[in-house]
Amino acid sequence: MKFAVLDFETTGTQSDGEITQVGLTIIDHDLSIKETYSSYVNPGVPIPPFITGLTGISDDDVKDAPHLEEMMMELVPLLDDVVLVGHNVAFDFYFLQNALDRCGYLPFTGRILDTMDLLKVCFPSLSSYQLGYVSTEFGFEHDRPHQADSDALATAHVFLKSIDELRGLPLITLQRLSDLFPAEESDFGWFLDGLLTEKESEPIQDLDGQKYYRQLALAIDDWSTIAPPRDERAPNPLENESFSEYMEKVQQNLKEKLPNYEQREAQNMMFDEVNKALYEDKHLLIEAGTGTGKSLGYLLPSIYQSVKQETKVTVSTHTINLQEQLRERDLPLLTKVVPFPFKAAIFKGRGHYLCLRKFEQKLNNKEFATPKEDVFTAAQMLVWLTQTETGDDEELNLSHRGTDFWETVQSESESCLGRSCPWFKKCFYHRARHEAGIADVVITNHSKLFTDVKASHQLLPSYDYLVIDEAHHLEDVAGKHLGMHMKYFSVVHTLTRLFKDSRNGQFPALRQQINQSGHEKYVEWTSAIDELFPFALEAKEEWDTLSDMLFKLLPERMDAAPGDSGQFSLRLKPQAKPKAWDKISKHENQFYVTVGEMVRKADKLLGEVREELDDYASDSLITDITGLVRDLAELRDNLRLFMRLDDTGTVYWLEASGQFRSKSLQLYAVPVDVSSHLKELFFDKKHSVILTSATLSVDKSFQFMIDQLGLSEAQEKGRLMTSLLPSPFNYRDQALLVIPRDFPSVKGSVGDDHFVSMLVTSLAETAKATKGRMLVLFTSYRMLRQVHEPLKEALAASDITVLGQGVDTGSRTKLTRRFQEAKASVLLGTSSFWEGVDIPGEALTCLAIVRLPFQPPSHPVVEAKSELLEKEKKNPFMKLSVPQAVIRFKQGFGRLVRTAQDRGIVIVYDTRVIESYYGKYFLYSLPGPKMEHMVTEKMVPRISEWLMEHETNNETDGT
């Protein structure tokens, strides 16, 4: 069996492209690379500039190249009796068939394999399947991405690596994969079948690495075998050791393990402050800027206090990203440097863990909603089970459909069989829970923290000490969790999982099992299931009508991105309900009654069947259905709660995106002021709560956060410590902040022509001076769109790429990666780019802030909070809008300098920072960069001069 790995570069898409280059790598029977062939091709048409930008292939390269017919004469003999392989092979295959046809050859009829499919199945945890990324990850040389010969060779290496991976899988996993892809149905199936036949003829070699259970190969053993970190009978390792003695040993070990480790003043201060608060049972607000080493700053004292006092410390982060960073980067380091064994466990929300029972059932019954996509997701998960020790979905690179698949196999409390589940001892969720139970430090996230509070503390192990990282988000998360949030699809997914139609779904699956059981009541039970179907249909119709009517109430928001979930939004006020509210309420009432009747009948039926049909398969199905029926009842109650609009302390609003209209509808009911809830739940009950973030103070004061989070009483009683750590960076030297003082101002979220043209000119000139490497932050998506096209044109001749969030496809992570990889580019971003984006080093030299990041005053929560402040005779603008904007401004500023070596320029185009009475709060809150204001035309020369100075200084320093 020979393989031919093919790659074409073209002038455009399948409908209008011509071939400009071909690359072919032949892999022989023994899986060695036998020969390579490559050639430019004269396309007979000019190559578009953006293709030259992407591939580096210009008109000059191809002007003397062979034409298509000459190239095909050399290529066709090489394709004799081969299996064709490509990365996204459909593209290359289309061009091949087209070329064969045009040059008078017969079409290619051999087998075809796509390395994208192989990568997805073999490496389910890779964060991207792009050829460039994969080559770097695997350490292959791929020096000229988007050139056909380099791409073909890289694809050949990826193909061989995937075959190695498949051959190394346990036999049972290969058999199950082969079962998912029948040989006669696809070339991929045929290929797997060949590998399986080969594996079955070998002696069995893979019994050591895996654990086998119920026809699945797993990487893990029973969780009950996991022992506590230290022998409980042994003396406490910190019995006679002070905190400073412990830290001395740790820092000695850090020096040995990390050659570049040097003690930082701010981090040492943080160790002491956190330890003092934990030891003295006080709360602490501590602002630690970028570069402080904040994670170790709270983890080391937490481990000390936890082990010394034999009590648990819980750490909560806002993002799962930070949780992952702690797992992958900080905890492995701490395991090496802490002078005694300890355990830190990561514990996420239950939906992040795979339920093995549901997965097994889905696999055995081949319950696939979208067969083609679902089969690949199931295959990814089969391979992943041989690798994962956590069963956490963050490890999987799932497609869009894959996330729908995940929802049907994730762990849920409502459908858990507990100890009676045959998978109980292998269960990933119960493993995480067990590990949290025996750990010294439990790392969770804000979301889980509040879910635990709502579940009367049944989810997390009990704790008296709490560290909250990224604490500037706490108030927002608290509001969402202590209130109510409901989506259009929450209802639809639940109904659809019960009845996809009259023949598919969980209820029809139960009907089938009842039929097969031959139980004497099977006729009565199956007809009871059939009677439920019309209720499900009616509930779905009522919900659609209701969602549609609610969507029609929504006005469009002027500053939001198209497709942004809050593009349409409307606050609903109890005292001023919309005219159509009574009419809408009638439909809600009908929905309430229909769902109520369905839930009542379903409960009665499920109770009977569970009692009389005693077998595992139906028991687990009944558990799943019972969970879904409970979800449906809860959704019905939440909707009733929302429609009443009767709590004055709650703000109610609707949101949707213009793209998906009523299908993107979201309903919110959130407490206006969460400070009393936070005080009661955490600050009154816990011995010590540490709150940390890079942005907690406004104008060097913590008062805004103290008021918002409910810490005033703790402050009055002397139970609150605050600490503003000095920055480890020399900002006066590393950052220059420039304000063009004559820049035009702008009202609202749309810039007038004069403003936009001045902004584009200034950004383009600056981008040329900084060679791209520029991030531009907008507060309004409309303005980003106004700037995107003209800026692209202005920079086209300079070979500087312009990337725009929401304009160019890709998630925030993908756009950031493209920005970092490009030679020279400008990235335009809105809300989500103001924080959490990490672009250290050379890739980012200039940060431009177009407007100060005030939240739109019309946002329902902002509006409700402002009304509350007005009642208390306070100024909402100074008490709420300014401090919120300052914290966001500091987050944005923090994108620029990420390490001690980073240098750069910040431009603030909003002259309110120097003209208004509140502008000083923004500038005084920054960590001391050099600040200058000047007329716009002097700005670029000053920036060039500053950059030159620093380049010269670096050269004289010998760096």
Side-chain angles (χ1 to χ4, degrees), residues 432-485:
R433 195 172 172 156
H434 171 74
E435 290 192 340
I438 58 171
D440 303 301
V441 175
V442 176
I443 297 169
T444 188
N445 51 60
H446 299 355
S447 194
K448 174 104 183 161
L449 198 65
F450 286 102
T451 313
D452 176 58
V453 164
K454 281 178 92 170
S456 322
H457 302 286
Q458 297 297 303
L459 306 178
L460 290 171
S462 67
Y463 61 93
D464 289 315
Y465 298 89
L466 173 63
V467 177
I468 293 176
D469 197 347
E470 301 175 292
H472 61 286
H473 285 292
L474 186 69
E475 184 194 5
D476 193 33
V477 180
K480 286 196 171 117
H481 278 268
L482 299 172
M484 190 275 309
H485 176 208

Coordinates of all heavy atoms in Angstrom, one line a residue, residues 432-485:
A432 N -13.0 13.4 41.4 CA -12.7 14.8 41.6 C -13.2 15.2 43.0 O -12.5 15.9 43.8 CB -13.3 15.7 40.6
R433 N -14.3 14.7 43.4 CA -14.9 15.0 44.7 C -14.1 14.4 45.8 O -13.8 15.0 46.9 CB -16.3 14.5 44.7 CG -17.1 15.0 45.8 CD -18.6 14.7 45.7 NE -19.2 15.1 47.0 CZ -20.4 15.4 47.1 NH1 -21.3 15.3 46.1 NH2 -20.9 15.8 48.3
H434 N -13.7 13.1 45.6 CA -12.9 12.4 46.6 C -11.5 13.1 46.8 O -11.1 13.3 47.9 CB -12.7 10.9 46.1 CG -11.7 10.1 46.9 ND1 -12.0 9.7 48.2 CD2 -10.4 9.8 46.7 CE1 -10.9 9.0 48.7 NE2 -9.9 9.1 47.7
E435 N -10.9 13.5 45.6 CA -9.6 14.2 45.7 C -9.8 15.5 46.5 O -8.9 15.9 47.2 CB -9.1 14.4 44.3 CG -8.6 13.1 43.6 CD -7.8 13.3 42.4 OE1 -7.9 14.4 41.8 OE2 -7.1 12.4 42.0
A436 N -10.9 16.2 46.2 CA -11.1 17.5 46.9 C -11.3 17.2 48.4 O -10.8 18.0 49.3 CB -12.3 18.2 46.4
G437 N -11.9 16.1 48.7 CA -12.1 15.7 50.1 C -10.9 15.5 50.9 O -10.8 15.8 52.1
I438 N -9.8 14.9 50.2 CA -8.6 14.6 51.0 C -7.5 15.7 50.7 O -6.4 15.6 51.3 CB -8.0 13.2 50.5 CG1 -7.7 13.2 49.0 CG2 -8.9 12.1 51.0 CD1 -7.0 11.9 48.6
A439 N -7.8 16.7 49.9 CA -6.8 17.7 49.6 C -6.6 18.7 50.7 O -7.5 18.9 51.5 CB -7.2 18.4 48.3
D440 N -5.5 19.4 50.7 CA -5.2 20.5 51.6 C -5.8 21.8 51.0 O -6.4 22.6 51.7 CB -3.7 20.7 51.8 CG -3.0 19.4 52.3 OD1 -3.4 19.0 53.4 OD2 -2.2 18.9 51.6
V441 N -5.6 21.9 49.7 CA -6.1 23.1 49.0 C -7.0 22.7 47.9 O -6.6 21.8 47.1 CB -4.9 24.0 48.5 CG1 -5.5 25.1 47.6 CG2 -4.1 24.5 49.6
V442 N -8.2 23.2 47.8 CA -9.1 22.9 46.7 C -9.2 24.1 45.8 O -9.5 25.2 46.2 CB -10.5 22.5 47.2 CG1 -11.5 22.3 46.1 CG2 -10.5 21.3 48.1
I443 N -9.0 23.9 44.5 CA -9.0 25.0 43.5 C -10.3 24.9 42.7 O -10.5 23.9 42.0 CB -7.8 25.0 42.6 CG1 -6.6 25.3 43.5 CG2 -7.9 26.1 41.6 CD1 -5.2 25.1 42.8
T444 N -11.2 25.8 42.8 CA -12.5 25.8 42.1 C -12.6 27.1 41.4 O -11.7 27.9 41.2 CB -13.6 25.5 43.1 OG1 -14.8 25.2 42.3 CG2 -13.8 26.6 44.1
N445 N -13.8 27.4 40.9 CA -14.1 28.6 40.2 C -15.3 29.3 40.8 O -16.1 28.7 41.4 CB -14.2 28.4 38.7 CG -15.2 27.4 38.3 OD1 -16.4 27.5 38.7 ND2 -14.8 26.3 37.7
H446 N -15.4 30.6 40.5 CA -16.5 31.4 41.1 C -17.9 30.8 40.9 O -18.7 30.8 41.7 CB -16.5 32.9 40.6 CG -15.2 33.6 40.8 ND1 -14.2 33.2 41.6 CD2 -14.9 34.9 40.4 CE1 -13.3 34.1 41.6 NE2 -13.6 35.1 40.9
S447 N -18.0 30.3 39.7 CA -19.3 29.7 39.3 C -19.7 28.5 40.2 O -20.8 28.5 40.7 CB -19.2 29.2 37.8 OG -20.4 29.0 37.3
K448 N -18.7 27.6 40.4 CA -18.9 26.5 41.3 C -19.1 26.9 42.7 O -19.9 26.3 43.5 CB -17.8 25.5 41.2 CG -17.8 24.3 42.1 CD -18.2 23.1 41.4 CE -18.3 21.9 42.4 NZ -19.0 20.8 41.9
L449 N -18.4 28.0 43.1 CA -18.5 28.5 44.5 C -19.9 28.9 44.8 O -20.5 28.6 45.9 CB -17.6 29.7 44.6 CG -17.2 30.2 45.9 CD1 -16.3 29.2 46.6 CD2 -16.4 31.5 45.8
F450 N -20.6 29.6 43.8 CA -22.0 30.0 44.1 C -23.0 28.9 43.9 O -24.0 28.8 44.5 CB -22.3 31.2 43.2 CG -21.7 32.5 43.7 CD1 -20.5 33.0 43.1 CD2 -22.2 33.1 44.8 CE1 -19.9 34.1 43.6 CE2 -21.6 34.3 45.3 CZ -20.4 34.8 44.7
T451 N -22.7 27.9 43.0 CA -23.6 26.8 42.8 C -23.6 26.0 44.1 O -24.6 25.5 44.6 CB -23.1 25.8 41.7 OG1 -22.7 26.6 40.5 CG2 -24.1 24.8 41.3
D452 N -22.4 25.9 44.8 CA -22.3 25.2 46.1 C -23.2 25.9 47.1 O -23.9 25.3 47.9 CB -20.8 25.2 46.5 CG -20.6 24.6 47.9 OD1 -21.0 23.4 48.0 OD2 -20.1 25.2 48.7
V453 N -23.1 27.3 47.1 CA -23.9 28.1 48.1 C -25.4 27.8 47.9 O -26.1 27.6 48.8 CB -23.6 29.6 47.9 CG1 -24.6 30.4 48.5 CG2 -22.2 29.9 48.4
K454 N -25.8 27.8 46.6 CA -27.2 27.5 46.3 C -27.6 26.1 46.7 O -28.8 25.9 46.9 CB -27.5 27.8 44.8 CG -27.6 29.3 44.5 CD -27.9 29.5 43.0 CE -29.3 29.6 42.7 NZ -29.5 30.1 41.3
A455 N -26.7 25.2 46.6 CA -27.0 23.8 47.0 C -26.8 23.5 48.4 O -26.4 22.4 48.8 CB -26.2 22.8 46.1
S456 N -26.9 24.5 49.3 CA -26.7 24.4 50.7 C -25.3 23.7 51.1 O -25.3 22.9 51.9 CB -27.8 23.6 51.4 OG -29.0 24.0 50.8
H457 N -24.3 24.1 50.4 CA -22.9 23.6 50.6 C -22.8 22.1 50.6 O -22.1 21.5 51.3 CB -22.4 24.1 52.0 CG -22.4 25.6 52.1 ND1 -21.5 26.4 51.4 CD2 -23.3 26.5 52.7 CE1 -21.8 27.7 51.6 NE2 -22.9 27.8 52.4
Q458 N -23.5 21.5 49.6 CA -23.4 20.0 49.5 C -22.4 19.6 48.5 O -22.1 18.4 48.3 CB -24.8 19.5 49.0 CG -26.0 19.7 49.9 CD -25.8 19.0 51.2 OE1 -25.6 17.8 51.3 NE2 -25.8 19.7 52.3
L459 N -21.8 20.6 47.7 CA -21.0 20.2 46.6 C -19.5 20.3 46.9 O -18.7 19.3 46.6 CB -21.2 21.1 45.4 CG -22.7 21.2 44.9 CD1 -22.9 22.1 43.7 CD2 -23.2 19.8 44.5
L460 N -19.0 21.4 47.5 CA -17.6 21.5 47.9 C -17.4 21.0 49.3 O -18.3 21.1 50.1 CB -17.2 23.0 47.8 CG -17.1 23.7 46.5 CD1 -17.0 25.2 46.7 CD2 -16.0 23.1 45.6
P461 N -16.2 20.4 49.6 CA -15.9 20.0 51.0 C -16.0 21.3 51.8 O -15.7 22.4 51.3 CB -14.5 19.5 50.9 CG -14.2 19.3 49.4 CD -15.1 20.2 48.7
S462 N -16.4 21.2 53.1 CA -16.6 22.4 53.9 C -15.2 23.1 54.1 O -14.2 22.5 54.2 CB -17.2 22.1 55.2 OG -16.3 21.3 56.0
Y463 N -15.2 24.4 54.2 CA -14.0 25.2 54.3 C -14.3 26.5 55.1 O -15.4 27.0 55.1 CB -13.5 25.6 52.9 CG -14.5 26.5 52.1 CD1 -14.4 27.9 52.1 CD2 -15.5 25.9 51.3 CE1 -15.3 28.6 51.4 CE2 -16.4 26.6 50.6 CZ -16.3 28.0 50.7 OH -17.2 28.8 50.0
D464 N -13.3 27.0 55.8 CA -13.4 28.3 56.6 C -12.5 29.3 56.0 O -12.6 30.5 56.4 CB -13.1 28.0 58.0 CG -14.2 27.2 58.7 OD1 -15.4 27.6 58.5 OD2 -13.9 26.3 59.4
Y465 N -11.6 28.9 55.1 CA -10.6 29.9 54.5 C -10.8 29.9 53.0 O -10.8 28.8 52.4 CB -9.2 29.5 54.9 CG -9.0 29.5 56.4 CD1 -9.3 28.3 57.2 CD2 -8.6 30.6 57.1 CE1 -9.1 28.4 58.6 CE2 -8.4 30.7 58.5 CZ -8.7 29.6 59.2 OH -8.6 29.6 60.6
L466 N -10.9 31.1 52.5 CA -11.2 31.2 51.0 C -10.3 32.3 50.4 O -10.1 33.3 50.9 CB -12.7 31.6 50.9 CG -13.2 31.9 49.5 CD1 -13.1 30.7 48.6 CD2 -14.7 32.4 49.6
V467 N -9.7 31.9 49.3 CA -8.9 32.9 48.5 C -9.7 33.1 47.2 O -10.0 32.1 46.5 CB -7.5 32.3 48.2 CG1 -6.7 33.3 47.3 CG2 -6.7 32.0 49.4
I468 N -10.0 34.3 46.9 CA -10.7 34.6 45.6 C -9.8 35.4 44.7 O -9.4 36.5 44.9 CB -12.0 35.4 45.9 CG1 -12.9 34.6 46.7 CG2 -12.6 35.9 44.6 CD1 -14.2 35.2 47.1
D469 N -9.3 34.7 43.6 CA -8.5 35.3 42.6 C -9.4 36.0 41.5 O -10.5 35.6 41.4 CB -7.5 34.3 42.0 CG -6.4 35.0 41.2 OD1 -6.4 36.2 41.0 OD2 -5.4 34.2 40.9
E470 N -8.9 36.9 40.8 CA -9.7 37.7 39.8 C -10.9 38.2 40.4 O -12.0 38.1 39.9 CB -10.0 36.7 38.6 CG -8.8 36.1 37.9 CD -9.2 35.1 36.8 OE1 -9.7 34.0 37.1 OE2 -9.0 35.4 35.6
A471 N -10.7 38.8 41.6 CA -11.8 39.1 42.5 C -12.7 40.3 42.0 O -13.8 40.5 42.4 CB -11.3 39.5 43.9
H472 N -12.1 41.0 41.0 CA -12.9 42.2 40.4 C -14.2 41.6 39.7 O -15.0 42.4 39.3 CB -12.1 43.1 39.5 CG -11.5 42.4 38.4 ND1 -10.4 41.5 38.5 CD2 -11.8 42.4 37.0 CE1 -10.1 41.0 37.2 NE2 -11.0 41.6 36.4
H473 N -14.2 40.3 39.5 CA -15.4 39.7 38.8 C -16.4 39.1 39.8 O -17.5 38.7 39.4 CB -15.0 38.5 37.9 CG -14.3 39.0 36.6 ND1 -15.0 39.6 35.6 CD2 -13.1 38.9 36.2 CE1 -14.2 39.9 34.6 NE2 -13.0 39.5 35.0
L474 N -16.1 39.1 41.1 CA -16.9 38.4 42.0 C -18.4 38.9 42.1 O -19.3 38.2 42.0 CB -16.3 38.5 43.4 CG -17.0 37.7 44.5 CD1 -16.8 36.2 44.2 CD2 -16.5 38.0 45.9
E475 N -18.5 40.2 42.1 CA -19.8 40.8 42.2 C -20.7 40.4 41.0 O -21.9 40.0 41.2 CB -19.7 42.4 42.2 CG -21.0 43.1 42.4 CD -20.9 44.6 42.1 OE1 -19.8 45.0 41.6 OE2 -21.9 45.3 42.3
D476 N -20.2 40.5 39.8 CA -20.9 40.1 38.6 C -21.3 38.6 38.6 O -22.5 38.3 38.3 CB -19.9 40.4 37.4 CG -20.7 40.3 36.1 OD1 -21.9 40.8 36.1 OD2 -20.1 39.9 35.1
V477 N -20.4 37.7 39.0 CA -20.7 36.3 39.0 C -21.8 36.0 40.1 O -22.7 35.3 39.9 CB -19.5 35.5 39.3 CG1 -19.8 34.0 39.3 CG2 -18.4 35.7 38.2
A478 N -21.6 36.7 41.2 CA -22.6 36.6 42.3 C -24.0 36.9 41.8 O -25.0 36.2 42.1 CB -22.2 37.4 43.5
G479 N -24.1 38.0 41.1 CA -25.4 38.5 40.6 C -26.1 37.4 39.7 O -27.2 37.0 39.9
K480 N -25.3 36.9 38.8 CA -25.8 35.9 37.8 C -26.2 34.6 38.5 O -27.2 34.0 38.2 CB -24.8 35.6 36.8 CG -24.6 36.7 35.8 CD -23.9 36.3 34.5 CE -24.0 37.5 33.5 NZ -22.7 38.0 33.1
H481 N -25.5 34.2 39.6 CA -25.8 32.9 40.2 C -26.8 33.0 41.3 O -27.6 32.1 41.5 CB -24.5 32.3 40.8 CG -23.7 31.6 39.7 ND1 -23.9 30.2 39.5 CD2 -22.8 32.0 38.9 CE1 -23.1 29.9 38.5 NE2 -22.5 31.0 38.1
L482 N -26.9 34.2 42.0 CA -27.9 34.4 43.0 C -29.2 34.8 42.4 O -30.2 34.8 43.1 CB -27.4 35.4 44.1 CG -26.1 35.0 44.8 CD1 -25.5 36.1 45.6 CD2 -26.2 33.7 45.6
G483 N -29.2 35.1 41.2 CA -30.4 35.5 40.5 C -30.8 34.3 39.6 O -30.6 33.1 39.9
M484 N -31.5 34.6 38.5 CA -32.0 33.6 37.6 C -31.6 33.9 36.1 O -31.6 35.1 35.7 CB -33.5 33.6 37.7 CG -34.2 32.4 37.0 SD -34.6 32.6 35.3 CE -35.4 34.1 35.0
H485 N -31.1 32.9 35.4 CA -30.7 33.1 34.0 C -31.3 32.0 33.2 O -31.0 30.8 33.6 CB -29.2 33.2 34.0 CG -28.7 33.3 32.5 ND1 -27.4 32.8 32.2 CD2 -29.2 33.8 31.4 CE1 -27.3 33.0 30.9 NE2 -28.3 33.6 30.4

